[in-house]
Amino acid sequence: MLTPPEWPAWALYTFVGVAAFTLCIGLVQFLRDSHRHQHGKNGNGHCHGEIRPSGSAEPEFRAFQRRYLSVYAIIMMADWFQGTNMYTLYMEYGVNISALFLSGFLSGAIFAGPIGIYIDKHGRKLSCVVYLVLEIIINICE
């Protein structure tokens, strides 16, 4: 039988808190958008200042949006699960976890700008492929 990992209490509480916060933000956005669509429509049937696909493009856009969000949600959930497992692994090896996480967040803050320029220059598709290949290599090395 599968046994759940022995996560520290703070990691479990953090995960549940972030998940609850994300659900609350999603609910607030949904309610705000539905309220805006019911009360704030202009003569065209759209909200003021809103750019929406029209005609035959809207079903295609909605299908793309559902595919994108489903893949994004799966990847983010996998990253959350990996984080707690990596914490447990590094704790067993005696690694200074706070320094490890701090260096990860600082490198993200430092390199986000230059990598953003690279992504704008070479395209998102190539950048996603490069990211996935690097992520696979990193996970194999761990």
Side-chain angles (χ1 to χ4, degrees):
M1 185 166 137
L2 222 80
T3 59
E6 294 180 21
W7 292 349
W10 68 266
L12 184 62
Y13 294 142
T14 302
F15 176 77
V16 170
V18 168
F21 179 74
T22 304
L23 287 173
C24 288
I25 294 296
L27 180 64
V28 167
Q29 262 187 325
F30 175 77
L31 294 174
R32 184 192 63 186
D33 289 346
S34 65
H35 177 73
R36 185 183 298 168
H37 287 297
Q38 289 174 358
H39 301 291
K41 294 182 179 180
N42 61 16
N44 298 334
H46 299 299
C47 297
H48 296 287
E50 181 179 6
I51 299 173
R52 296 185 54 168
S54 62
S56 64
E58 187 166 358
E60 293 173 10
F61 174 73
R62 293 293 177 206
F64 166 75
Q65 194 175 36
R66 282 190 298 275
R67 279 193 318 261
Y68 174 82
L69 291 176
S70 62
V71 170
Y72 181 78
I74 290 168
I75 289 174
M76 292 307 295
M77 189 171 30
D79 189 43
W80 285 355
F81 289 145
Q82 177 188 359
T84 54
N85 289 328
M86 294 307 292
Y87 174 85
T88 307
L89 178 69
Y90 289 142
M91 197 167 155
E92 287 181 13
Y93 286 143
V95 174
N96 184 350
I97 299 167
S98 59
L100 186 66
F101 279 99
L102 181 62
S103 63
F105 287 120
L106 282 177
S107 66
I110 292 168
F111 293 113
I115 289 176
I117 293 169
Y118 170 82
I119 290 171
D120 289 341
K121 183 177 179 182
H122 296 287
R124 294 183 188 275
K125 185 175 183 178
L126 176 64
S127 301
C128 285
V129 170
V130 169
Y131 169 75
L132 289 174
V133 168
L134 288 174
E135 188 70 25
I136 289 169
I137 291 170
I138 289 168
N139 284 318
I140 289 172
C141 291
E142 289 179 345

